[in-house]
Amino acid sequence: MNKAYITTPIYYVNDVPHIGHAYTTIIADTMARYYRLKGFNTFFLTGTDEHGQKIEEAAKLRGRSPQEYADEISGKFRALWDVFDISYDKFIRTTDEDHKIGVQKAFQTMFDKGDIYKGEYEGHYCVSCETFFTQTQLIDETNCPDCGKPTTLLKEESYFFKLSKYQEKLLKWYQDDAKCVLPVGKKNEVISFVKQGLHDLSITRTSFNWGIKLPKEIGDDRHVMYVWLDALLNYITALGYGKEEENISFWPANIQLVGKDILRFHAIYWPAFLMSLDLPLPQHIAAHGWWTRNGEKMSKSKGNVVNPKEVADAYGLENFRYFMLREVPFGQDGDFSQKALIDRINSDLGNEFGNLLNRIIGMSGKYSDFHITSKNVQALHVKELDEALALLDGIELKLCDMQTNRYLEDLWKVLSIANNAITIHEPWNKIKNGDTQGALAVVGLVANLLAKVSILVSPIMPQTASKIADALGFEINTQNYEKFILAQTLLDDFIIKKVPPLFPKIEEELMNTPEPQATLKTKTETVKEKIIDESIITIDQFFQTKLKVGTIIEAQAVANSQKLLQLQVDIGEETPRQIVAGIKEYYAPEDLLNTQVCVVANLKPAKIMGLVSQGMLLAAKDNDGLSLIRPENKKKSGASIG
Ligand code: MSP
């Protein structure tokens, strides 16, 4: 029996599931359902990535242990996939004991082979991306080239994997196996990256604990494994690698779905690890693009993250699945908007797909008491039938090449043939003119095309497809796939069942689009996540605050206030700034004259006790009181700080 092994990336547990995660998972689920339809013995893996510094820090900020925190978020992923009817066969967690054993075995195997050596790592590390970068890769000398956040310079003892040793072998793989990385454009990016030269990879860390320990035999328990080594190995530990290898025959994977941001790890490190382990390489690593919202990257701090559960609740899970796979060419970025989703539902699904079923229910009800026959379809509609069969003939290749949008476009061309047949042949006129056979042949043609489309759309819209098949008197299963698609057989005569419209028209936007993630989190979680997100800023964000040295040239108490002083501060402008500061309890006005301070110079002016304040002074406060922050040596008024 043919086998298929499909994987998603395993999701970090520092964030609840969002539309990007749902997209990867839905494509993978589609592929798994497609292979099951074809009768392949299929194994579909998903799960969560739970180790590493990022998770350790996220848990700490919430006052939780990493394990507790991982349990909770991993549970949220699993619960969502269950609600979404994702047909995974295994949900792996990198904190699973079996996984740890497999990872340690892999480490030991690579070590014994001489592919791992001990050295010292010095480099810039981005905790958010869990990735090392060289100085030349950084933006503005300090920031991560992938996410823009500041990196940390690390110098520590580390074990290295001899990635450089595999450079030529990798290039040969890309060259020999045309479709090993999909889409091909993305493969070319990988090739140019590898051609620039691969450095050996630091694969252990000593600066934190939340990770898998090295195998005992190595005798170095200060190190934990680099999270990407740990995570990538999930694809084989899930099959039992290192323990009971009951499912290992599923390896190599047929399709490994990833987002474009993590392609480098999957198309370079992962095959190199596999080469070192003497295991075969995956057939396809397929990288999809990113979903944006109104053209912008989604982020919690912007509050523009789309919650997939909310979309599915409002518009229907299968409509959402269809939209995601149809709207964007695989590999490209796509923008989420309710308008685009509504258009797809009303037009593609309602008018072109669901309506066909209603029309043949209506017509067959009038003409033949709901009896539908394939008799005369071949004889009277050979042209339409051939055209449709020709389209269906090449269609599966598109799905296997991950061109989900083109696959659906072709299925909809088949639906157009059916819709056009009704318009052109006007069965109601045939009935009027006494040509009942002719009218029934049109209805029969449409029913057959609808049946074939419902089988092939079933991996994307399983419930909808089953409802249509049920109305047309058959079941969606491998046997019928072979009969109606591969053998191109027509439907046996049947009585169509009446079903209510499958895609009721949507008149207006159904989501209010407030902060969508809020529904999945408690208020405290949201606040804490905001803190985490906002606690890190880029250098550009920092420089949005204009800080200047100021010299206090006048100071007096504000009448009727116990706290405020009214200051005139020279910050090198034509006139001094008036600043009202809450420092009266700590400074006497006369002591401030001619002293220097640090001023936030681009604050929106505010009125305090009726006085305009045109800036703010920097100060530090603790239990012992408050101290103004001042330059160590006298500086020119207006000198910029930063
Ligand atoms: N844990 C790693 C993967 C390890 S696999 C051995 C990871 N996790 S992730 O949770 O950050 O991302 C998982 C997937 O979600 C990636 O494929 C990523 O591309 C995808 N997406 C995250 N945001 C996305 C969008 N806005 N749009 C589409 N997919 C995006 O990386």
Side-chain angles (χ1 to χ4, degrees):
M1 193 197 241
N2 283 320
K3 67 95 196 159
Y5 181 31
I6 319 286
T7 66
T8 71
I10 45 171
Y11 303 107
Y12 282 133
V13 290
N14 66 330
D15 195 4
V16 291
H18 60 67
I19 189 173
H21 304 130
Y23 181 53
T24 322
T25 310
I26 286 169
I27 304 176
D29 182 63
T30 296
M31 296 315 294
R33 287 176 187 270
Y34 168 69
Y35 280 112
R36 288 193 199 105
L37 179 68
K38 282 169 76 75
F40 283 35
N41 186 17
T42 303
F43 195 86
F44 171 21
L45 175 72
T46 189
T48 42
D49 187 355
E50 306 184 8
H51 290 126
Q53 194 172 353
K54 178 156 69 173
I55 311 298
E56 190 178 74
E57 286 179 4
K60 202 167 164 194
L61 267 154
R62 290 165 173 84
R64 318 269 298 274
S65 77
Q67 185 66 59
E68 248 174 32
Y69 178 59
D71 288 347
E72 181 196 323
I73 306 285
S74 175
K76 287 191 177 170
F77 273 96
R78 200 176 179 137
L80 183 68
W81 300 156
D82 289 342
V83 172
F84 271 21
D85 199 20
I86 298 298
S87 61
Y88 61 84
D89 294 288
K90 182 172 169 102
F91 186 100
I92 191 169
R93 301 184 54 186
T94 52
T95 48
D96 289 343
E97 255 342 284
D98 290 356
H99 171 74
K100 292 183 195 167
I101 293 169
V103 170
Q104 287 177 333
K105 177 179 163 190
F107 191 99
Q108 187 69 51
T109 309
M110 293 175 181
F111 186 85
D112 293 344
K113 192 168 175 180
D115 279 353
I116 291 178
Y117 62 92
K118 196 168 178 177
E120 189 171 73
Y121 184 81
E122 186 172 352
H124 303 266
Y125 194 70
C126 173
V127 176
S128 184
C129 299
E130 297 279 17
T131 309
F132 293 102
F133 295 99
T134 58
Q135 180 70 49
T136 50
Q137 290 174 308
L138 301 181
I139 300 173
D140 295 336
E141 302 195 343
T142 49
N143 292 351
C144 169
D146 287 346
C147 71
K149 292 182 182 159
T151 56
T152 322
L153 186 63
L154 286 180
K155 188 171 177 178
E156 61 183 45
E157 184 187 277
S158 173
Y159 286 81
F160 285 82
F161 172 72
K162 285 187 185 166
L163 186 61
S164 55
K165 171 179 161 185
Y166 290 97
Q167 175 163 332
E168 292 313 313
K169 264 182 119 176
L170 284 167
L171 288 170
K172 187 167 176 341
W173 181 50
Y174 308 137
Q175 194 183 359
D176 292 352
D177 192 339
K179 293 184 179 176
C180 61
V181 177
L182 292 171
V184 176
K186 293 263 185 278
K187 179 169 131 178
N188 296 335
E189 287 171 24
V190 173
I191 294 175
S192 17
F193 185 88
V194 175
K195 279 190 174 159
Q196 283 169 27
L198 293 177
H199 299 285
D200 289 349
L201 185 69
S202 164
I203 50 162
T204 66
R205 306 287 306 278
T206 52
S207 51
F208 65 94
N209 287 322
W210 183 237
I212 300 179
K213 294 263 175 220
L214 304 200
K216 282 209 175 62
E217 294 74 8
I218 307 271
D220 205 344
D221 64 3
R222 288 172 309 119
H223 290 253
V224 293
M225 293 203 210
Y226 173 43
V227 65
W228 271 100
L229 172 66
D230 162 357
L232 286 163
L233 287 164
N234 94 88
Y235 301 129
I236 52 173
T237 61
L239 303 178
Y241 175 86
K243 213 166 169 253
E244 279 144 31
E245 308 204 334
E246 75 267 33
N247 279 320
I248 204 77
S249 59
F250 277 105
W251 189 258
N254 299 61
I255 301 171
Q256 301 213 261
L257 254 310
V258 297
K260 63 177 183 180
D261 53 317
I262 55 171
L263 179 60
R264 204 186 324 147
F265 300 95
H266 284 82
I268 302 174
Y269 301 172
W270 177 225
F273 294 154
L274 288 165
M275 286 171 186
S276 174
L277 294 171
D278 292 315
L279 287 171
L281 306 185
Q283 269 172 23
H284 306 298
I285 294 175
H288 64 70
W290 270 49
W291 283 91
T292 53
R293 181 100 171 245
N294 302 323
E296 283 195 7
K297 198 173 166 183
M298 291 181 211
S299 84
K300 274 180 284 175
S301 48
K302 282 191 204 140
N304 64 351
V305 181
V306 178
N307 176 350
K309 171 88 168 47
E310 196 187 347
V311 183
D313 285 348
Y315 292 98
L317 173 62
E318 299 207 345
N319 298 348
F320 177 44
R321 284 174 68 108
Y322 171 80
F323 168 77
M324 294 195 106
L325 269 62
R326 174 76 190 256
E327 187 71 5
V328 243
F330 186 82
Q332 293 183 19
D333 292 348
D335 201 50
F336 177 84
S337 81
Q338 293 193 69
K339 186 180 171 309
L341 173 56
I342 293 171
D343 283 351
R344 290 279 176 204
I345 296 173
N346 288 345
S347 161
D348 298 12
L349 296 176
N351 293 347
E352 293 171 44
F353 191 22
N355 203 22
L356 262 185
L357 181 64
N358 297 331
R359 290 182 88 177
I360 58 170
I361 293 173
M363 288 190 281
S364 64
K366 281 191 202 141
Y367 314 153
S368 55
D369 204 14
F370 299 105
H371 281 76
I372 293 189
T373 176
S374 297
K375 205 170 89 186
N376 297 323
V377 169
Q378 184 75 44
L380 297 177
H381 294 289
V382 68
K383 190 171 151 286
E384 281 115 329
L385 207 53
D386 282 354
E387 219 182 303
L389 292 177
L391 275 166
L392 297 179
D393 210 25
I395 203 169
E396 291 183 50
L397 197 61
K398 295 193 175 150
L399 191 60
C400 294
D401 283 351
M402 306 307 307
Q403 299 177 342
T404 54
N405 66 317
R406 296 189 55 199
Y407 175 79
L408 286 167
E409 271 162 28
D410 280 2
L411 281 182
W412 257 249
K413 284 185 192 156
V414 174
L415 295 177
S416 286
I417 296 174
N419 276 306
N420 289 340
I422 299 178
T423 317
I424 294 166
H425 299 295
E426 299 179 329
W428 50 92
N429 279 335
K430 288 188 189 298
I431 291 284
K432 242 197 247 161
N433 301 332
D435 179 10
T436 309
Q437 295 299 323
L440 293 186
V442 180
V443 175
L445 169 73
V446 173
N448 272 287
L449 298 187
L450 207 44
K452 293 188 196 304
V453 170
S454 69
I455 294 172
L456 290 175
V457 89
S458 69
I460 294 146
M461 311 180 75
Q463 303 283 344
T464 311
S466 289
K467 281 186 200 157
I468 296 177
D470 184 50
L472 301 179
F474 72 98
E475 261 180 43
I476 293 186
N477 55 32
T478 304
Q479 209 185 347
N480 283 332
Y481 162 79
E482 286 169 354
K483 180 173 167 189
F484 296 122
I485 303 295
L486 297 186
Q488 303 186 340
T489 311
L490 296 184
L491 291 167
D492 299 326
D493 294 358
F494 66 99
I495 295 177
I496 196 164
K497 281 189 200 152
K498 280 178 268 179
V499 284
L502 294 171
F503 308 103
K505 195 167 162 75
I506 295 175
E507 306 283 355
E508 57 180 9
E509 294 192 352
L510 301 173
M511 281 157 49
N512 290 329
T513 58
E515 162 58 77
Q517 295 288 8
T519 53
L520 279 178
K521 284 176 249 154
T522 64
K523 218 170 162 190
T524 341
E525 275 174 326
T526 313
V527 171
K528 281 182 181 165
E529 279 181 14
K530 271 209 138 128
I531 294 167
I532 296 163
D533 240 14
E534 285 163 5
S535 64
I536 294 175
I537 57 168
T538 63
I539 195 86
D540 291 345
Q541 283 171 310
F542 174 73
F543 279 116
Q544 281 170 12
T545 312
K546 299 267 174 283
L547 295 174
K548 295 203 164 172
V549 172
T551 308
I552 300 177
I553 53 175
E554 278 180 43
Q556 63 183 76
V558 173
N560 302 326
S561 168
Q562 303 200 331
K563 295 195 171 155
L564 298 176
L565 291 185
Q566 181 184 356
L567 311 169
Q568 300 298 327
V569 186
D570 175 7
I571 60 163
E573 296 172 335
E574 257 175 48
T575 50
R577 295 269 187 117
Q578 172 164 288
I579 295 178
V580 181
I583 55 175
K584 191 173 168 187
E585 294 161 84
Y586 310 102
Y587 290 93
E590 56 277 18
D591 293 344
L592 288 171
L593 284 180
N594 294 322
T595 65
Q596 291 203 303
V597 283
C598 299
V599 178
V600 180
N602 60 339
L603 261 192
K604 201 171 157 199
K607 259 197 172 173
I608 305 174
M609 291 196 71
L611 297 166
V612 176
S613 180
Q614 301 166 304
M616 193 180 101
L617 306 186
L618 296 190
K621 195 174 174 187
D622 63 13
N623 292 340
D624 296 326
L626 177 144
S627 302
L628 286 165
I629 311 285
R630 307 171 184 280
E632 194 177 20
N633 301 310
K634 191 155 176 132
K635 289 278 147 209
K636 236 168 118 184
S637 297
S640 60
I641 302 173

